[in-house]
Amino acid sequence: MLIRALFGLSLLASQRPVQAADSVRATPTLVVFIAIDQMRGDYIERYQKEWRGGFRRIIQRATWYPNGLQDHAITETAPGHSTMLSGRNPGHMGIVNNELGVPDPTTRLLEVAGTGASPRRIVGTEFFDWLKAADSGARVLSVSRKDRGAILPVGHFRGEVFWYTSDRFSSSTYYFPDSLPSWVRSFNARPWARALAGRRWSLLEPASHYLEVDDRDYENDGSDRTFPHTLPLTPHAMALALPNYPWMDSLTAAFALEGVRSLKLGQGPHTDLLVVSFSATDYVGHAFGPDSREIHDQLLRLDRTIGRMEDSLARLVPGRRILYALTGDHGVTRFPEALVAEGKLGGRVSLTSLVSGFNDSLQARLGSDPHLSFESGLVMGDIAALRRGGIDPDTVAARLAVAARQRNGVRKVYTMRSLAQAPDSDVDAGRWRRSLPDSLAWLVCASTNPGWIWSTEPGYTTHGTTNQDDLNVPIAFWGMGISRTRSSRAARTIDIAPTLAALVGIKPLEPLDGIPLAEAVTVPPAPARP
């Protein structure tokens, strides 16, 4: 109720459900794409009896795929978001990982200190480009806690793209040369930070409702492990801590609705696009894990937030001509400590120390730094510097691969040469090929055993591997022209954009890796009249 009181929005105003859309295909005036950071594919069915909002509507009305896949190797936020509305794999998009995602030192943030971000690394077009090519009047609004969550689903278009940073929603000079739009400044000026300071995150339902143990010593780096969790008292400290709490999602939804109202999205003859990327599940999942009481409560709250956002959009868009799509940017692996305690296989592994040793040795030979680095299974470096120094990169890669294979928890290791030679039946190799652009300078890539994560520090869990728990995400479509279907097949996030294009009646501007999903684009026959 706090967000409603702060912003005067109708976000919480009505619990009246949105009526199911007619099965006859019609053109929507608003396409709403919802991304949930770290949304595992099993969450929707795990708590299906508890949903009251948006997730309940997926079960009741959507064409949805609980076994959806982010079908590439580096299951991080940036590459995951790059697949959603592009129809192409990260390797073709040019988005390798978070570091090589949207940070752009040639831009700056607006009305707050810090380096900016942009889509400059993106190769090719996305759904909104296709929409704009078909109808020059189409408009877009994209909102997220994270810069990469807001930027990557939209592409190069210089439109209304915003993310939360420090204590406000901002953007970069890539999108706005001098200042934020007046409606954004007005929203930021409201006293939400002061009102949230000291707010307690208590359980939404009675404690007996939750089966999970509330206190496990490996959670949240060993501190603040049990409910309630309290935001800091000072507004500035609260604003910095807010992304770790469910209210970040409520604030994101409220900001998105304010933008829809101000820009009048979906209220004209054109098809507009609204992108909302919710991030709190990622922060809560890292700190407490996918089988925690905290993630359970976070998802219950997000379910209500999405449902209330739908109700508000239904009142804002004439005729409720809205088409929805939803997915996650990656899943997450359980805490290895929890797996081991249950007698299962799991652990933490890293190649950082190995790579650092190789880097020091090569630097001594070269007289300069070859910049070898490791992240999420990938070893990169300055290949040109090695060659200039008379060092064969293939030899370095082969030696790194031999050493990496000896690490406990490492399942497969590839060099550039062995990856090219791997058979199509090698699933991990295929996912690495879909992750790595041809132009990328790299030496070794590796996959972990199930239950293992790329990590050395306890106190959190993570994602980023080729294991099923990191790959699996839900994919759902509902609203105009969509019938209720649950498909068990492994649809891919690269199939979302071509499916939406088929539903809206536009054409992609280039060849895609994904395909339209038949279950969503096939209109069921009208019922026989008596």
Side-chain angles (χ1 to χ4, degrees):
M1 300 298 291
L2 179 64
I3 297 299
R4 178 187 178 190
L6 287 174
F7 304 115
L9 298 174
S10 58
L11 184 61
L12 306 181
S14 172
Q15 299 303 314
R16 176 173 53 87
V18 179
Q19 297 299 311
D22 190 271
S23 62
V24 178
R25 184 78 72 229
T27 303
T29 57
L30 184 64
V31 175
V32 180
F33 179 73
I34 299 171
I36 304 175
D37 203 321
Q38 204 182 115
M39 184 68 177
R40 281 171 54 127
D42 63 337
Y43 281 159
I44 291 180
E45 289 188 308
R46 182 190 298 185
Y47 304 114
Q48 61 180 308
K49 295 181 180 179
E50 304 174 44
W51 305 136
R52 301 291 182 269
F55 297 150
R56 183 178 183 180
R57 290 167 189 167
I58 289 177
I59 291 175
Q60 291 180 337
R61 303 170 188 175
T63 294
W64 70 293
Y65 307 81
N67 299 316
L69 290 174
Q70 287 281 2
D71 201 15
H72 51 265
I74 302 180
T75 43
E76 293 183 346
T77 299
H81 275 80
S82 78
T83 66
M84 295 173 175
L85 291 183
S86 69
R88 291 175 297 130
N89 294 310
H92 290 154
M93 285 292 291
I95 305 299
V96 180
N97 55 28
N98 288 342
E99 183 180 356
L100 299 177
V102 300
D104 184 355
T106 70
T107 68
R108 59 177 175 83
L109 295 174
L110 294 168
E111 301 185 11
V112 67
T115 301
S118 82
R120 296 188 194 278
R121 287 191 177 91
I122 292 177
V123 176
T125 61
E126 298 197 39
F127 175 78
F128 186 71
D129 297 304
W130 317 339
L131 195 61
K132 194 74 172 174
D135 181 356
S136 61
R139 295 166 300 164
V140 64
L141 169 64
S142 186
V143 179
S144 179
R145 152 66 184 99
K146 299 181 180 181
D147 51 8
R148 48 195 179 271
I151 292 170
L152 291 170
V154 174
H156 289 282
F157 187 76
R158 295 176 187 264
E160 307 275 329
V161 177
F162 307 99
W163 55 93
Y164 178 88
T165 180
S166 298
D167 61 355
R168 68 195 67 193
F169 283 94
S170 183
S171 189
S172 79
T173 51
Y174 176 90
Y175 297 101
F176 303 96
D178 301 310
S179 62
L180 294 168
S182 59
W183 71 267
V184 178
R185 295 199 304 273
S186 176
F187 186 95
N188 286 334
R190 295 171 186 171
W192 57 267
R194 186 167 61 252
L196 282 171
R199 182 83 172 183
R200 286 159 58 104
W201 174 15
S202 300
L203 291 170
L204 186 64
E205 301 287 351
S208 59
H209 182 89
Y210 303 83
L211 300 180
E212 302 87 1
V213 175
D214 191 27
D215 189 4
R216 298 179 296 183
D217 57 10
Y218 48 77
E219 292 180 334
N220 202 30
D221 204 21
S223 64
D224 191 19
R225 302 194 305 258
T226 61
F227 280 99
H229 304 283
T230 305
L231 279 165
L233 286 170
T234 61
H236 179 68
M238 186 288 306
L240 295 177
L242 181 60
N244 302 296
Y245 289 77
W247 297 297
M248 186 71 249
D249 288 340
S250 301
L251 189 67
T252 301
F255 182 80
L257 285 171
E258 182 79 352
V260 170
R261 291 170 180 272
S262 299
L263 301 172
K264 301 185 184 304
L265 291 187
Q267 298 182 35
H270 312 284
T271 298
D272 297 325
L273 174 64
L274 171 65
V275 176
V276 185
S277 178
F278 293 108
S279 301
T281 303
D282 184 65
Y283 290 89
V284 175
H286 277 300
F288 296 98
D291 49 355
S292 64
R293 184 171 293 193
E294 281 79 5
I295 203 69
H296 186 171
D297 196 73
Q298 154 62 17
L299 291 167
L300 292 179
R301 291 174 180 274
L302 179 58
D303 164 64
R304 274 67 163 178
T305 294
I306 293 174
R308 291 188 292 260
M309 185 177 74
E310 286 186 66
D311 291 342
S312 294
L313 289 172
R315 289 185 292 274
L316 290 171
V317 177
R320 300 181 179 182
R321 294 174 61 184
I322 307 174
L323 172 63
Y324 288 91
L326 176 147
T327 193
D329 59 348
H330 50 72
V332 67
T333 297
R334 295 179 63 196
F335 268 90
E337 292 79 6
L339 293 168
V340 171
E342 295 172 5
K344 300 175 182 177
L345 297 178
R348 299 173 184 269
V349 58
S350 176
L351 303 182
T352 299
S353 61
L354 171 65
V355 171
S356 178
F358 268 74
N359 194 77
D360 291 345
S361 176
L362 292 168
Q363 184 171 356
R365 293 174 60 187
L366 290 170
S368 61
D369 191 348
H371 300 289
L372 267 60
S373 63
F374 171 78
E375 181 187 352
S376 294
L378 181 64
V379 179
M380 293 185 290
D382 190 340
I383 306 300
L386 293 177
R387 290 197 175 104
R388 286 194 302 269
I391 298 174
D392 180 20
D394 290 337
T395 301
V396 175
R399 291 174 178 171
L400 266 169
V402 169
R405 289 188 187 98
Q406 308 307 311
R407 295 295 174 102
N408 194 23
V410 173
R411 181 172 74 242
K412 291 186 178 181
V413 182
Y414 306 94
T415 64
M416 190 175 290
R417 180 174 297 174
S418 65
L419 186 64
Q421 295 172 348
D424 292 341
S425 59
D426 188 332
V427 176
D428 277 12
R431 288 178 174 140
W432 275 111
R433 289 172 185 145
R434 291 190 284 275
S435 281
L436 304 176
D438 292 340
S439 60
L440 184 70
W442 63 278
L443 292 164
V444 164
C445 60
S447 299
T448 65
N449 287 318
W452 287 75
I453 58 176
W454 294 118
S455 165
T456 56
E457 298 295 329
Y460 74 98
T461 191
T462 192
H463 46 83
T465 75
T466 57
N467 292 327
Q468 193 67 22
D469 286 343
D470 290 353
L471 298 165
N472 182 212
V473 295
I475 297 173
F477 305 87
W478 71 103
M480 288 194 65
I482 303 295
S483 60
R484 177 185 178 183
T485 304
R486 181 194 182 282
S487 175
S488 60
R489 74 183 179 98
R492 303 162 300 167
T493 54
I494 55 172
D495 299 328
I496 295 172
T499 300
L500 288 175
L503 288 168
V504 175
I506 60 175
K507 294 182 178 180
L509 299 179
E510 60 192 311
L512 304 181
D513 298 316
I515 60 172
L517 294 167
E519 296 87 352
V521 300
T522 301
V523 180
R529 295 183 180 275

